[in-house]
Amino acid sequence: MGEIATSDRQITFYYNSKSVRAKQALAYAKAEGVPILEIDILKTPITGTQIVEIADRLNLEVRDLVNQEHPSYTSKFSHHNFSSIDWIKMIQHNPEILKQPIAIRGDKTILVETPSDIIKI
């Protein structure tokens, strides 16, 4: 069992409150009528264990959770092959570079690419 508590009765929603797509996806999720645990990554730090668990649930490497096109990434870092520990630290110190929103419900986890993707969960 991981650090992230999940339930089929609730959506755990990791998002950046400054993201228009995230706000739209959150509105879609709320319209579904399922309780939502909102985790604004700009206000609530994500642990390294949670980052690894999210990557595992999405069948991705930790580095694949980083939006290397985000202005915060391109202004501070160049494209490199970092270790997983380095990627985790980068996400923790620069949460805005995490690809998001991410929705978890029970055993299902999705990276929301369009706001309507939330209905897949």
Side-chain angles (χ1 to χ4, degrees), residues 1-6 12 14 49-51 53-54 57 104:
M1 184 166 135
E3 185 174 300
I4 300 172
T6 63
T12 303
Y14 290 88
T49 304
Q50 288 172 319
I51 293 168
E53 187 176 339
I54 288 168
R57 287 172 147 272
I104 302 171

Side-chain angles (χ1 to χ4, degrees), residues 2-119:
E3 185 174 300
I4 300 172
T6 63
S7 168
D8 288 332
R9 296 185 191 126
Q10 172 182 285
I11 295 172
T12 303
F13 192 77
Y14 290 88
Y15 73 108
N16 174 340
S17 57
K18 293 183 180 178
S19 164
V20 171
R21 181 180 56 196
K23 289 177 191 174
Q24 291 171 338
L26 185 58
Y28 268 94
K30 287 180 177 178
E32 290 294 304
V34 177
I36 301 167
L37 173 60
E38 297 178 37
I39 301 171
D40 182 349
I41 60 174
L42 299 181
K43 296 176 183 169
T44 305
I46 318 174
T47 68
T49 304
Q50 288 172 319
I51 293 168
V52 169
E53 187 176 339
I54 288 168
D56 287 347
R57 287 172 147 272
L58 291 168
N59 294 316
L60 297 173
E61 297 292 324
V62 172
R63 72 174 173 263
D64 298 327
L65 289 177
V66 175
N67 179 357
Q68 295 185 33
E69 307 304 318
H70 192 282
S72 289
Y73 181 90
T74 57
S75 68
K76 296 176 185 174
F77 311 104
S78 57
H79 294 281
H80 285 326
N81 252 341
F82 296 109
S83 71
S84 289
I85 303 275
D86 291 332
W87 287 115
I88 289 167
K89 289 179 183 174
M90 289 169 66
I91 292 169
Q92 288 178 314
H93 294 290
N94 306 279
E96 67 279 3
I97 67 173
L98 177 69
K99 290 181 181 175
Q100 52 74 40
I102 296 165
I104 302 171
R105 184 176 183 187
D107 292 334
K108 192 164 187 178
T109 302
I110 61 169
L111 179 59
V112 180
E113 297 188 25
T114 64
S116 61
D117 283 350
I118 198 72
I119 54 179

